[in-house]
Amino acid sequence: MQAGGLLQIRSGLGGAQAQRRPCGRPQAQELAAAKGVSLPEDFAAAAASGGLRAAVLDTYCKLASGGFLTSWLVKALPAFRDRLIADRLFFFKVWAEVAIDSACATVAEVRKRGDEFWSEFEFYLSDLLVGLVLDVVLVTLIAPVAQPGRKTAQAVSGLKRYLGGLPSAVFQKSQPGRKWGVGDRAATYVKLGLEYSLAGIVCGFIGQGLANSIMLLKRKYGGASEHDVAVPPLVRTSLVWGMFMGLSSNTRYQIVFGLERLVDETIARRIPAAAYFTTLVIRFANNVVGGENFIDMARWAGVQ
């Protein structure tokens, strides 16, 4: 779903179609009230300053008056709300990523570690926990974000303004008034690579620290075993997570985004259910490759 266009909506009062132009604050509040929802503060500000996009308002009203979980999330978390408005499959993609990655990571770990799986169980646990957090980070950072209205001019540096105007993903579709060239898309790849690397380092440090603590406690109270492996270096392991996220994950998820966009603009227009099926298939293949890739990278770096 593209939230940038100004689509027609129904007012709920008279059933007549609203105009395609942005809604002013009184009109936006009236339409939201007719749907039984309150207008978020940032939406109200957008409506007052330049007009709230009709498509954004209509989609928000549908989400806010929908199921309990979705309704609560869009009201409580603006970051989740804006991504779900821009992409109707955002929530499904987060769920699919977490579920598929957990299963694929387990299969990949068992396959790669073989007979040493149980003696290296702490590595598996650390990889799984860190992976679950990073799954949400990966899907969230690369997801398109809905713009409620016209952007107001802000006193920000040239670099910050430039970075804020980049697409959310390398293969995001250009929109009216927002055209991105090859240089912009290359800059997006670098920007997301740095963000993914930072997330990987932080989560890797926490996850490996937990795994190391479990290893030391098990050996302290359970005794040493001939199958025990050396406790991995904490800092080096977190740096490996950063390298893996910035290079492998960044590249793979850009490709995933591009393939999903291709499906959305072709097959899914005729068969909407195809978008869900292909998302599962694409992300399953991506996680199989990523799970084995991380183990190989960790062993290459000498941390596992």
Side-chain angles (χ1 to χ4, degrees), residues 70-234:
T70 301
S71 176
W72 179 81
L73 287 172
V74 298
K75 292 177 181 178
L77 303 174
F80 177 90
R81 175 201 68 197
D82 294 343
R83 286 167 172 80
L84 190 56
I85 289 174
D87 181 2
R88 72 188 189 283
L89 295 181
F90 173 70
F91 190 39
F92 176 76
K93 289 175 181 178
V94 173
W95 172 85
E97 191 65 36
V98 170
I100 292 173
D101 188 34
S102 299
C104 289
T106 300
V107 173
E109 295 269 357
V110 171
R111 178 183 171 190
K112 278 287 184 179
R113 300 189 190 282
D115 296 337
E116 299 178 351
F117 176 78
W118 290 110
S119 62
E120 300 180 0
F121 182 77
E122 293 84 356
F123 294 143
Y124 159 71
L125 182 62
S126 171
D127 295 348
L128 182 65
L129 293 177
V130 175
L132 292 178
V133 175
L134 292 178
D135 286 339
V136 179
V137 173
L138 282 164
V139 179
T140 301
L141 287 179
I142 205 171
V145 181
Q147 295 295 333
R150 299 188 183 93
K151 285 189 173 182
T152 56
Q154 296 179 346
V156 295
S157 66
L159 178 60
K160 187 174 182 180
R161 188 186 310 112
Y162 174 72
L163 293 177
L166 292 175
S168 64
V170 171
F171 297 110
Q172 183 177 358
K173 183 178 180 179
S174 292
Q175 303 168 7
R178 303 181 71 186
K179 302 292 184 181
W180 296 298
V182 175
D184 296 326
R185 298 182 186 279
T188 294
Y189 180 84
V190 174
K191 172 175 171 282
L192 282 174
L194 294 174
E195 292 175 346
Y196 284 165
S197 293
L198 179 60
I201 291 172
V202 173
C203 294
F205 187 88
I206 296 174
Q208 192 59 55
L210 175 62
N212 288 359
S213 299
I214 294 175
M215 293 174 70
L216 294 174
L217 286 173
K218 187 173 73 173
R219 295 174 188 182
K220 178 179 179 179
Y221 294 103
S225 169
E226 60 179 347
H227 299 293
D228 287 343
V229 294
V231 177
L234 184 57

Side-chain angles (χ1 to χ4, degrees), residues 19-78:
Q19 295 182 353
R20 296 170 63 88
R21 58 184 173 76
C23 303
R25 184 163 185 168
Q27 182 187 11
Q29 290 178 330
E30 181 183 1
L31 293 172
K35 299 280 187 175
V37 299
S38 57
L39 202 64
E41 291 184 5
D42 56 336
F43 278 23
S49 62
L52 179 64
R53 294 182 184 275
V56 170
L57 174 59
D58 183 49
T59 304
Y60 170 74
C61 289
K62 292 177 180 177
L63 294 171
S65 57
F68 171 77
L69 179 59
T70 301
S71 176
W72 179 81
L73 287 172
V74 298
K75 292 177 181 178
L77 303 174

Side-chain angles (χ1 to χ4, degrees), residues 2 173 260-270:
Q2 296 294 332
K173 183 178 180 179
E260 289 179 338
R261 175 191 159 188
L262 179 63
V263 171
D264 284 342
E265 296 181 354
T266 55
I267 303 174
R269 288 187 175 181
R270 299 189 302 272

